mmCIF file with all atom_site columns, all heavy atoms in Angstrom:
data_model
loop_
_atom_site.group_PDB
_atom_site.id
_atom_site.type_symbol
_atom_site.label_atom_id
_atom_site.label_alt_id
_atom_site.label_comp_id
_atom_site.label_asym_id
_atom_site.label_entity_id
_atom_site.label_seq_id
_atom_site.pdbx_PDB_ins_code
_atom_site.Cartn_x
_atom_site.Cartn_y
_atom_site.Cartn_z
_atom_site.occupancy
_atom_site.B_iso_or_equiv
_atom_site.pdbx_formal_charge
_atom_site.auth_seq_id
_atom_site.auth_comp_id
_atom_site.auth_asym_id
_atom_site.auth_atom_id
_atom_site.pdbx_PDB_model_num
ATOM 1   N N   . VAL E 1 67  ? 27.944 50.517 -49.423 1.00 83.00 ? 105 VAL E N   1
ATOM 2   C CA  . VAL E 1 67  ? 26.492 50.557 -49.035 1.00 83.00 ? 105 VAL E CA  1
ATOM 3   C C   . VAL E 1 67  ? 25.911 49.159 -49.153 1.00 83.00 ? 105 VAL E C   1
ATOM 4   O O   . VAL E 1 67  ? 25.327 48.625 -48.229 1.00 83.00 ? 105 VAL E O   1
ATOM 5   C CB  . VAL E 1 67  ? 25.704 51.387 -49.893 1.00 83.00 ? 105 VAL E CB  1
ATOM 6   C CG1 . VAL E 1 67  ? 24.200 51.294 -49.722 1.00 83.00 ? 105 VAL E CG1 1
ATOM 7   C CG2 . VAL E 1 67  ? 26.099 52.869 -49.757 1.00 83.00 ? 105 VAL E CG2 1
ATOM 8   N N   . ILE E 1 68  ? 26.204 48.333 -50.256 1.00 85.00 ? 106 ILE E N   1
ATOM 9   C CA  . ILE E 1 68  ? 25.767 47.046 -50.496 1.00 85.00 ? 106 ILE E CA  1
ATOM 10  C C   . ILE E 1 68  ? 26.302 46.044 -49.329 1.00 85.00 ? 106 ILE E C   1
ATOM 11  O O   . ILE E 1 68  ? 25.596 45.219 -48.729 1.00 85.00 ? 106 ILE E O   1
ATOM 12  C CB  . ILE E 1 68  ? 26.215 46.503 -51.862 1.00 85.00 ? 106 ILE E CB  1
ATOM 13  C CG1 . ILE E 1 68  ? 25.390 47.285 -52.879 1.00 85.00 ? 106 ILE E CG1 1
ATOM 14  C CG2 . ILE E 1 68  ? 25.820 44.927 -51.928 1.00 85.00 ? 106 ILE E CG2 1
ATOM 15  C CD1 . ILE E 1 68  ? 25.943 46.984 -54.249 1.00 85.00 ? 106 ILE E CD1 1
ATOM 16  N N   . LEU E 1 69  ? 27.622 46.191 -49.083 1.00 89.00 ? 107 LEU E N   1
ATOM 17  C CA  . LEU E 1 69  ? 28.288 45.474 -48.088 1.00 89.00 ? 107 LEU E CA  1
ATOM 18  C C   . LEU E 1 69  ? 27.654 45.647 -46.577 1.00 89.00 ? 107 LEU E C   1
ATOM 19  O O   . LEU E 1 69  ? 27.463 44.726 -45.883 1.00 89.00 ? 107 LEU E O   1
ATOM 20  C CB  . LEU E 1 69  ? 29.706 45.699 -47.966 1.00 89.00 ? 107 LEU E CB  1
ATOM 21  C CG  . LEU E 1 69  ? 30.707 44.711 -47.286 1.00 89.00 ? 107 LEU E CG  1
ATOM 22  C CD1 . LEU E 1 69  ? 30.522 43.374 -47.824 1.00 89.00 ? 107 LEU E CD1 1
ATOM 23  C CD2 . LEU E 1 69  ? 32.123 45.076 -47.240 1.00 89.00 ? 107 LEU E CD2 1
ATOM 24  N N   . SER E 1 70  ? 27.317 47.082 -46.420 1.00 88.00 ? 108 SER E N   1
ATOM 25  C CA  . SER E 1 70  ? 26.675 47.333 -45.128 1.00 88.00 ? 108 SER E CA  1
ATOM 26  C C   . SER E 1 70  ? 25.312 46.763 -45.051 1.00 88.00 ? 108 SER E C   1
ATOM 27  O O   . SER E 1 70  ? 24.940 46.207 -43.907 1.00 88.00 ? 108 SER E O   1
ATOM 28  C CB  . SER E 1 70  ? 26.537 48.956 -45.031 1.00 88.00 ? 108 SER E CB  1
ATOM 29  O OG  . SER E 1 70  ? 27.905 49.423 -45.012 1.00 88.00 ? 108 SER E OG  1
ATOM 30  N N   . LEU E 1 71  ? 24.569 46.778 -46.143 1.00 89.00 ? 109 LEU E N   1
ATOM 31  C CA  . LEU E 1 71  ? 23.278 46.121 -46.120 1.00 89.00 ? 109 LEU E CA  1
ATOM 32  C C   . LEU E 1 71  ? 23.289 44.659 -45.955 1.00 89.00 ? 109 LEU E C   1
ATOM 33  O O   . LEU E 1 71  ? 22.457 44.069 -45.179 1.00 89.00 ? 109 LEU E O   1
ATOM 34  C CB  . LEU E 1 71  ? 22.532 46.415 -47.509 1.00 89.00 ? 109 LEU E CB  1
ATOM 35  C CG  . LEU E 1 71  ? 22.066 47.873 -47.642 1.00 89.00 ? 109 LEU E CG  1
ATOM 36  C CD1 . LEU E 1 71  ? 21.439 48.172 -48.986 1.00 89.00 ? 109 LEU E CD1 1
ATOM 37  C CD2 . LEU E 1 71  ? 21.076 48.382 -46.586 1.00 89.00 ? 109 LEU E CD2 1
ATOM 38  N N   . LEU E 1 72  ? 24.336 44.019 -46.518 1.00 92.00 ? 110 LEU E N   1
ATOM 39  C CA  . LEU E 1 72  ? 24.532 42.555 -46.316 1.00 92.00 ? 110 LEU E CA  1
ATOM 40  C C   . LEU E 1 72  ? 24.865 42.203 -44.956 1.00 92.00 ? 110 LEU E C   1
ATOM 41  O O   . LEU E 1 72  ? 24.280 41.259 -44.330 1.00 92.00 ? 110 LEU E O   1
ATOM 42  C CB  . LEU E 1 72  ? 25.521 41.981 -47.236 1.00 92.00 ? 110 LEU E CB  1
ATOM 43  C CG  . LEU E 1 72  ? 25.292 41.874 -48.772 1.00 92.00 ? 110 LEU E CG  1
ATOM 44  C CD1 . LEU E 1 72  ? 26.449 41.598 -49.665 1.00 92.00 ? 110 LEU E CD1 1
ATOM 45  C CD2 . LEU E 1 72  ? 24.186 40.716 -48.851 1.00 92.00 ? 110 LEU E CD2 1
ATOM 46  N N   . ILE E 1 73  ? 25.681 42.927 -44.435 1.00 93.00 ? 111 ILE E N   1
ATOM 47  C CA  . ILE E 1 73  ? 26.136 42.802 -42.972 1.00 93.00 ? 111 ILE E CA  1
ATOM 48  C C   . ILE E 1 73  ? 25.004 42.983 -41.956 1.00 93.00 ? 111 ILE E C   1
ATOM 49  O O   . ILE E 1 73  ? 24.722 42.122 -41.019 1.00 93.00 ? 111 ILE E O   1
ATOM 50  C CB  . ILE E 1 73  ? 27.387 43.655 -42.559 1.00 93.00 ? 111 ILE E CB  1
ATOM 51  C CG1 . ILE E 1 73  ? 28.576 43.218 -43.332 1.00 93.00 ? 111 ILE E CG1 1
ATOM 52  C CG2 . ILE E 1 73  ? 27.635 43.560 -41.087 1.00 93.00 ? 111 ILE E CG2 1
ATOM 53  C CD1 . ILE E 1 73  ? 29.803 44.174 -43.375 1.00 93.00 ? 111 ILE E CD1 1
ATOM 54  N N   . LEU E 1 74  ? 24.247 44.102 -42.172 1.00 93.00 ? 112 LEU E N   1
ATOM 55  C CA  . LEU E 1 74  ? 23.148 44.353 -41.233 1.00 93.00 ? 112 LEU E CA  1
ATOM 56  C C   . LEU E 1 74  ? 21.974 43.441 -41.466 1.00 93.00 ? 112 LEU E C   1
ATOM 57  O O   . LEU E 1 74  ? 21.242 43.211 -40.492 1.00 93.00 ? 112 LEU E O   1
ATOM 58  C CB  . LEU E 1 74  ? 22.687 45.897 -41.496 1.00 93.00 ? 112 LEU E CB  1
ATOM 59  C CG  . LEU E 1 74  ? 23.590 46.900 -40.979 1.00 93.00 ? 112 LEU E CG  1
ATOM 60  C CD1 . LEU E 1 74  ? 23.173 48.360 -41.512 1.00 93.00 ? 112 LEU E CD1 1
ATOM 61  C CD2 . LEU E 1 74  ? 23.635 46.982 -39.490 1.00 93.00 ? 112 LEU E CD2 1
ATOM 62  N N   . GLY E 1 75  ? 21.776 43.026 -42.750 1.00 91.00 ? 113 GLY E N   1
ATOM 63  C CA  . GLY E 1 75  ? 20.672 42.168 -43.067 1.00 91.00 ? 113 GLY E CA  1
ATOM 64  C C   . GLY E 1 75  ? 20.840 40.725 -42.605 1.00 91.00 ? 113 GLY E C   1
ATOM 65  O O   . GLY E 1 75  ? 19.865 39.903 -42.361 1.00 91.00 ? 113 GLY E O   1
ATOM 66  N N   . PHE E 1 76  ? 22.133 40.242 -42.354 1.00 94.00 ? 114 PHE E N   1
ATOM 67  C CA  . PHE E 1 76  ? 22.517 38.929 -42.199 1.00 94.00 ? 114 PHE E CA  1
ATOM 68  C C   . PHE E 1 76  ? 21.656 38.490 -40.865 1.00 94.00 ? 114 PHE E C   1
ATOM 69  O O   . PHE E 1 76  ? 21.128 37.334 -40.844 1.00 94.00 ? 114 PHE E O   1
ATOM 70  C CB  . PHE E 1 76  ? 23.989 38.669 -42.076 1.00 94.00 ? 114 PHE E CB  1
ATOM 71  C CG  . PHE E 1 76  ? 24.274 37.236 -41.914 1.00 94.00 ? 114 PHE E CG  1
ATOM 72  C CD1 . PHE E 1 76  ? 24.484 36.295 -42.932 1.00 94.00 ? 114 PHE E CD1 1
ATOM 73  C CD2 . PHE E 1 76  ? 24.522 36.681 -40.506 1.00 94.00 ? 114 PHE E CD2 1
ATOM 74  C CE1 . PHE E 1 76  ? 24.751 35.015 -42.688 1.00 94.00 ? 114 PHE E CE1 1
ATOM 75  C CE2 . PHE E 1 76  ? 24.869 35.263 -40.223 1.00 94.00 ? 114 PHE E CE2 1
ATOM 76  C CZ  . PHE E 1 76  ? 25.042 34.510 -41.469 1.00 94.00 ? 114 PHE E CZ  1
ATOM 77  N N   . PRO E 1 77  ? 22.002 39.132 -39.691 1.00 95.00 ? 115 PRO E N   1
ATOM 78  C CA  . PRO E 1 77  ? 21.292 38.570 -38.531 1.00 95.00 ? 115 PRO E CA  1
ATOM 79  C C   . PRO E 1 77  ? 19.734 38.541 -38.571 1.00 95.00 ? 115 PRO E C   1
ATOM 80  O O   . PRO E 1 77  ? 19.153 37.717 -38.002 1.00 95.00 ? 115 PRO E O   1
ATOM 81  C CB  . PRO E 1 77  ? 21.811 39.482 -37.388 1.00 95.00 ? 115 PRO E CB  1
ATOM 82  C CG  . PRO E 1 77  ? 22.303 40.743 -38.121 1.00 95.00 ? 115 PRO E CG  1
ATOM 83  C CD  . PRO E 1 77  ? 22.765 40.257 -39.415 1.00 95.00 ? 115 PRO E CD  1
ATOM 84  N N   . ALA E 1 112 ? 16.476 37.360 -52.590 1.00 80.00 ? 150 ALA E N   1
ATOM 85  C CA  . ALA E 1 112 ? 16.747 38.954 -52.489 1.00 80.00 ? 150 ALA E CA  1
ATOM 86  C C   . ALA E 1 112 ? 18.128 39.203 -51.814 1.00 80.00 ? 150 ALA E C   1
ATOM 87  O O   . ALA E 1 112 ? 18.751 39.992 -52.160 1.00 80.00 ? 150 ALA E O   1
ATOM 88  C CB  . ALA E 1 112 ? 15.551 39.541 -51.750 1.00 80.00 ? 150 ALA E CB  1
ATOM 89  N N   . TYR E 1 113 ? 18.288 38.415 -50.709 1.00 89.00 ? 151 TYR E N   1
ATOM 90  C CA  . TYR E 1 113 ? 19.667 38.566 -49.983 1.00 89.00 ? 151 TYR E CA  1
ATOM 91  C C   . TYR E 1 113 ? 20.741 38.258 -51.052 1.00 89.00 ? 151 TYR E C   1
ATOM 92  O O   . TYR E 1 113 ? 21.842 38.930 -50.896 1.00 89.00 ? 151 TYR E O   1
ATOM 93  C CB  . TYR E 1 113 ? 19.649 37.757 -48.741 1.00 89.00 ? 151 TYR E CB  1
ATOM 94  C CG  . TYR E 1 113 ? 20.878 38.013 -47.949 1.00 89.00 ? 151 TYR E CG  1
ATOM 95  C CD1 . TYR E 1 113 ? 20.772 39.022 -46.980 1.00 89.00 ? 151 TYR E CD1 1
ATOM 96  C CD2 . TYR E 1 113 ? 22.005 37.206 -47.963 1.00 89.00 ? 151 TYR E CD2 1
ATOM 97  C CE1 . TYR E 1 113 ? 21.871 39.291 -46.186 1.00 89.00 ? 151 TYR E CE1 1
ATOM 98  C CE2 . TYR E 1 113 ? 23.201 37.526 -47.216 1.00 89.00 ? 151 TYR E CE2 1
ATOM 99  C CZ  . TYR E 1 113 ? 22.983 38.551 -46.369 1.00 89.00 ? 151 TYR E CZ  1
ATOM 100 O OH  . TYR E 1 113 ? 24.202 38.872 -45.648 1.00 89.00 ? 151 TYR E OH  1
ATOM 101 N N   . LEU E 1 114 ? 20.588 37.152 -51.688 1.00 87.00 ? 152 LEU E N   1
ATOM 102 C CA  . LEU E 1 114 ? 21.735 36.668 -52.523 1.00 87.00 ? 152 LEU E CA  1
ATOM 103 C C   . LEU E 1 114 ? 22.003 37.731 -53.559 1.00 87.00 ? 152 LEU E C   1
ATOM 104 O O   . LEU E 1 114 ? 23.152 37.813 -54.023 1.00 87.00 ? 152 LEU E O   1
ATOM 105 C CB  . LEU E 1 114 ? 21.425 35.374 -53.117 1.00 87.00 ? 152 LEU E CB  1
ATOM 106 C CG  . LEU E 1 114 ? 21.437 34.128 -52.135 1.00 87.00 ? 152 LEU E CG  1
ATOM 107 C CD1 . LEU E 1 114 ? 20.988 32.949 -52.974 1.00 87.00 ? 152 LEU E CD1 1
ATOM 108 C CD2 . LEU E 1 114 ? 22.893 34.053 -51.587 1.00 87.00 ? 152 LEU E CD2 1
ATOM 109 N N   . THR E 1 115 ? 21.029 38.516 -53.978 1.00 82.00 ? 153 THR E N   1
ATOM 110 C CA  . THR E 1 115 ? 21.282 39.559 -55.094 1.00 82.00 ? 153 THR E CA  1
ATOM 111 C C   . THR E 1 115 ? 22.381 40.566 -54.598 1.00 82.00 ? 153 THR E C   1
ATOM 112 O O   . THR E 1 115 ? 22.988 41.161 -55.425 1.00 82.00 ? 153 THR E O   1
ATOM 113 C CB  . THR E 1 115 ? 19.999 40.271 -55.356 1.00 82.00 ? 153 THR E CB  1
ATOM 114 O OG1 . THR E 1 115 ? 19.373 40.953 -54.277 1.00 82.00 ? 153 THR E OG1 1
ATOM 115 C CG2 . THR E 1 115 ? 18.923 39.377 -55.971 1.00 82.00 ? 153 THR E CG2 1
ATOM 116 N N   . GLY E 1 116 ? 22.308 40.765 -53.287 1.00 86.00 ? 154 GLY E N   1
ATOM 117 C CA  . GLY E 1 116 ? 23.339 41.731 -52.761 1.00 86.00 ? 154 GLY E CA  1
ATOM 118 C C   . GLY E 1 116 ? 24.779 41.203 -52.955 1.00 86.00 ? 154 GLY E C   1
ATOM 119 O O   . GLY E 1 116 ? 25.652 42.003 -53.274 1.00 86.00 ? 154 GLY E O   1
ATOM 120 N N   . ILE E 1 117 ? 25.015 40.027 -52.753 1.00 88.00 ? 155 ILE E N   1
ATOM 121 C CA  . ILE E 1 117 ? 26.318 39.274 -53.101 1.00 88.00 ? 155 ILE E CA  1
ATOM 122 C C   . ILE E 1 117 ? 26.581 39.479 -54.508 1.00 88.00 ? 155 ILE E C   1
ATOM 123 O O   . ILE E 1 117 ? 27.773 39.882 -54.826 1.00 88.00 ? 155 ILE E O   1
ATOM 124 C CB  . ILE E 1 117 ? 26.304 37.830 -52.549 1.00 88.00 ? 155 ILE E CB  1
ATOM 125 C CG1 . ILE E 1 117 ? 26.105 37.805 -51.026 1.00 88.00 ? 155 ILE E CG1 1
ATOM 126 C CG2 . ILE E 1 117 ? 27.649 37.170 -52.887 1.00 88.00 ? 155 ILE E CG2 1
ATOM 127 C CD1 . ILE E 1 117 ? 25.944 36.455 -50.406 1.00 88.00 ? 155 ILE E CD1 1
ATOM 128 N N   . PHE E 1 118 ? 25.683 39.073 -55.442 1.00 84.00 ? 156 PHE E N   1
ATOM 129 C CA  . PHE E 1 118 ? 25.905 39.201 -56.862 1.00 84.00 ? 156 PHE E CA  1
ATOM 130 C C   . PHE E 1 118 ? 26.091 40.653 -57.337 1.00 84.00 ? 156 PHE E C   1
ATOM 131 O O   . PHE E 1 118 ? 26.960 40.873 -58.224 1.00 84.00 ? 156 PHE E O   1
ATOM 132 C CB  . PHE E 1 118 ? 24.718 38.610 -57.579 1.00 84.00 ? 156 PHE E CB  1
ATOM 133 C CG  . PHE E 1 118 ? 24.624 37.123 -57.532 1.00 84.00 ? 156 PHE E CG  1
ATOM 134 C CD1 . PHE E 1 118 ? 23.307 36.460 -57.128 1.00 84.00 ? 156 PHE E CD1 1
ATOM 135 C CD2 . PHE E 1 118 ? 25.660 36.260 -57.749 1.00 84.00 ? 156 PHE E CD2 1
ATOM 136 C CE1 . PHE E 1 118 ? 23.213 35.150 -57.040 1.00 84.00 ? 156 PHE E CE1 1
ATOM 137 C CE2 . PHE E 1 118 ? 25.592 34.910 -57.617 1.00 84.00 ? 156 PHE E CE2 1
ATOM 138 C CZ  . PHE E 1 118 ? 24.335 34.325 -57.293 1.00 84.00 ? 156 PHE E CZ  1
ATOM 139 N N   . LEU E 1 120 ? 27.717 42.959 -55.717 1.00 84.00 ? 158 LEU E N   1
ATOM 140 C CA  . LEU E 1 120 ? 29.131 43.364 -55.372 1.00 84.00 ? 158 LEU E CA  1
ATOM 141 C C   . LEU E 1 120 ? 29.939 43.001 -56.692 1.00 84.00 ? 158 LEU E C   1
ATOM 142 O O   . LEU E 1 120 ? 30.959 43.641 -56.902 1.00 84.00 ? 158 LEU E O   1
ATOM 143 C CB  . LEU E 1 120 ? 29.628 42.546 -54.114 1.00 84.00 ? 158 LEU E CB  1
ATOM 144 C CG  . LEU E 1 120 ? 29.046 42.955 -52.876 1.00 84.00 ? 158 LEU E CG  1
ATOM 145 C CD1 . LEU E 1 120 ? 29.521 41.834 -51.771 1.00 84.00 ? 158 LEU E CD1 1
ATOM 146 C CD2 . LEU E 1 120 ? 29.570 44.403 -52.446 1.00 84.00 ? 158 LEU E CD2 1
ATOM 147 N N   . ASP E 1 126 ? 20.811 45.301 -56.527 1.00 77.00 ? 164 ASP E N   1
ATOM 148 C CA  . ASP E 1 126 ? 20.735 44.907 -55.097 1.00 77.00 ? 164 ASP E CA  1
ATOM 149 C C   . ASP E 1 126 ? 19.335 44.927 -54.404 1.00 77.00 ? 164 ASP E C   1
ATOM 150 O O   . ASP E 1 126 ? 18.796 45.902 -54.305 1.00 77.00 ? 164 ASP E O   1
ATOM 151 C CB  . ASP E 1 126 ? 21.745 45.770 -54.314 1.00 77.00 ? 164 ASP E CB  1
ATOM 152 C CG  . ASP E 1 126 ? 21.903 45.478 -52.848 1.00 77.00 ? 164 ASP E CG  1
ATOM 153 O OD1 . ASP E 1 126 ? 21.635 44.358 -52.503 1.00 77.00 ? 164 ASP E OD1 1
ATOM 154 O OD2 . ASP E 1 126 ? 21.958 46.446 -52.039 1.00 77.00 ? 164 ASP E OD2 1
ATOM 155 N N   . SER E 1 128 ? 19.198 43.223 -51.265 1.00 82.00 ? 166 SER E N   1
ATOM 156 C CA  . SER E 1 128 ? 19.444 42.620 -49.997 1.00 82.00 ? 166 SER E CA  1
ATOM 157 C C   . SER E 1 128 ? 18.719 43.436 -48.987 1.00 82.00 ? 166 SER E C   1
ATOM 158 O O   . SER E 1 128 ? 18.305 42.985 -47.822 1.00 82.00 ? 166 SER E O   1
ATOM 159 C CB  . SER E 1 128 ? 20.935 42.609 -49.693 1.00 82.00 ? 166 SER E CB  1
ATOM 160 O OG  . SER E 1 128 ? 21.501 43.909 -49.861 1.00 82.00 ? 166 SER E OG  1
ATOM 161 N N   . GLY E 1 129 ? 18.625 44.711 -49.099 1.00 83.00 ? 167 GLY E N   1
ATOM 162 C CA  . GLY E 1 129 ? 18.008 45.549 -48.022 1.00 83.00 ? 167 GLY E CA  1
ATOM 163 C C   . GLY E 1 129 ? 16.439 45.271 -47.915 1.00 83.00 ? 167 GLY E C   1
ATOM 164 O O   . GLY E 1 129 ? 15.916 45.080 -46.923 1.00 83.00 ? 167 GLY E O   1
#
Side-chain angles (χ1 to χ4, degrees):
V105 170
I106 293 171
L107 197 59
S108 299
L109 292 176
L110 284 169
I111 292 167
L112 288 168
F114 184 85
Y151 186 84
L152 290 175
T153 60
I155 297 170
F156 292 130
L158 287 172
D164 173 32
S166 59

